[in-house]
Amino acid sequence: MPSANMNVMIKAARKAGRGLVKDFREVENLQVSVKGAGDFVSRADREAERLIKEELRGARPTYGWLGEETGTEAGEDPTRRWIVDPLDGTTNFLHGMPHWAVSIALEHKGEIVAGVVFDPAKDEMFWAEKGAGAWMNDQRLRVSGRSRMIEAVFATGVPFGGSRHLPAFLKDTARIAPITAGVRRWGSAALDLAYVAAGRFDGYWERGIQPYDVAAGVVLVREAGGFVEGLRKGESPVESGAILACNAGLFTTFSETLRAAD
Ligand code: 2AM
Ligand code: CA
Ligand code: CA
């Protein structure tokens, strides 16, 4: 049974999802000019964040806030904070590709205790709460059982637009790609982690990410029996900007391959 907080998070994600689906249809139907598309999408994600904030702050007015579009706001309760990316996978959205999501996490005393990643185009609601398991709609999730790298498929993100993380990413890929069944770049960090939780991807790594990209996904993977760590040993996967996640059987090989000294 989802908790009261989880019901609030799911309701907020659905509400934002409904608005985003309408906007996405306009993009798909080419009613948005290529020139105006960037502005259209930034309006869509600002509106989605507004809806989410209204819902979450309405239900839990004392909690703090971190949202991609509106930044941070301290709450009366310094121990609890919502972490929200209203639209993760913006580039897919803009190009009419149905692979994007709403991501909402709840942090308590510095730890992510609940997360929702909602893919409205496929009506897949991924949700997890610490100690209560990970779910997709009403189906329990479990990470994959593959323990051989050569059978495993990994998701990642390619650093964009002149990012300083590109050389390290190329090194990672040179190590991982030759020993695995495949590497995918689908453009939504939140869904990459949800798919690891669902056993679709066997693992995921990325550099140059923000807390709101991965906060909800981290609890999904852990509650589905997977491992999540900072790419640099000992660092936070949510705060450090570099993350790895996978099932238990692959963890040693995957993490050691990515962390190997040059
Ligand atoms: P976004 O769609 O919310 O921007 C994919 O690798 C991840 O990187 C996604 O979580 C995506 O989030 C983020 N991303 C993609 N392009 C980006 C850009 N130009 N600037 C910042 N983040 C980006
Ligand atoms: Ca994002
Ligand atoms: Ca976003």
Side-chain angles (χ1 to χ4, degrees):
M1 275 284 286
S3 69
N5 269 341
M6 181 51 63
N7 283 325
V8 169
M9 294 163 77
I10 288 174
K11 191 173 170 206
R14 283 206 189 283
K15 202 167 182 182
R18 267 194 299 276
L20 287 167
V21 163
K22 276 193 204 130
D23 294 333
F24 185 65
R25 282 204 201 106
E26 283 193 45
V27 176
E28 277 185 307
N29 296 338
L30 304 175
Q31 281 157 6
V32 178
S33 69
V34 172
K35 206 155 158 268
D39 288 343
F40 178 82
V41 172
S42 59
R43 269 200 307 280
D45 54 26
R46 277 202 306 272
E47 173 61 10
E49 184 156 323
R50 194 190 64 74
L51 289 172
I52 294 166
K53 200 166 184 177
E54 185 177 78
E55 202 65 37
L56 297 181
R57 300 218 90 176
R60 300 288 182 268
T62 61
Y63 293 13
W65 180 266
L66 167 61
E68 179 171 16
E69 305 302 322
T70 56
T72 55
E73 271 169 45
E76 223 174 276
D77 176 352
T79 70
R80 290 185 175 80
R81 179 165 76 145
W82 300 115
I83 303 180
V84 172
D85 187 343
L87 172 57
D88 187 65
T90 321
T91 306
N92 288 339
F93 188 99
L94 188 60
H95 286 248
M97 297 194 280
H99 192 77
W100 44 270
V102 177
S103 177
I104 300 174
L106 176 60
E107 185 185 59
H108 182 219
K109 295 184 175 165
E111 185 188 9
I112 310 298
V113 293
V116 163
V117 174
F118 180 41
D119 176 345
K122 302 179 199 72
D123 198 24
E124 291 188 330
M125 178 71 73
F126 297 91
W127 59 279
E129 291 186 273
K130 198 185 165 198
W135 304 79
M136 194 270 281
N137 298 332
D138 56 4
Q139 189 186 325
R140 185 96 192 230
L141 299 180
R142 187 81 209 146
V143 291
S144 75
R146 290 181 200 93
S147 56
R148 286 156 44 87
M149 289 292 277
I150 201 65
E151 290 166 0
V153 175
F154 291 87
T156 189
V158 183
F160 29 78
S163 163
R164 65 187 166 87
H165 301 287
L166 188 61
F169 164 80
L170 294 172
K171 207 181 285 173
D172 297 337
T173 309
R175 285 177 174 151
I176 298 292
I179 60 169
T180 63
V183 175
R184 302 281 182 275
R185 196 286 194 244
W186 287 359
S188 162
L191 284 175
D192 289 343
L193 283 161
Y195 281 25
V196 173
R200 296 175 181 174
F201 285 133
D202 303 291
Y204 159 74
W205 88 95
E206 186 160 359
R207 296 174 188 272
I209 39 115
Q210 299 292 328
Y212 43 75
D213 296 322
V214 294
V218 163
V219 63
L220 278 164
V221 173
R222 289 194 175 136
E223 285 298 318
F227 285 29
V228 186
E229 286 193 358
L231 206 42
R232 288 172 297 269
K233 205 170 179 168
E235 291 191 0
S236 158
V238 177
E239 305 290 336
S240 71
I243 187 171
L244 71 87
C246 63
N247 71 34
L250 290 167
F251 181 72
T252 304
T253 316
F254 183 48
S255 61
E256 285 178 359
T257 305
L258 284 173
R259 288 168 177 166
D262 299 301

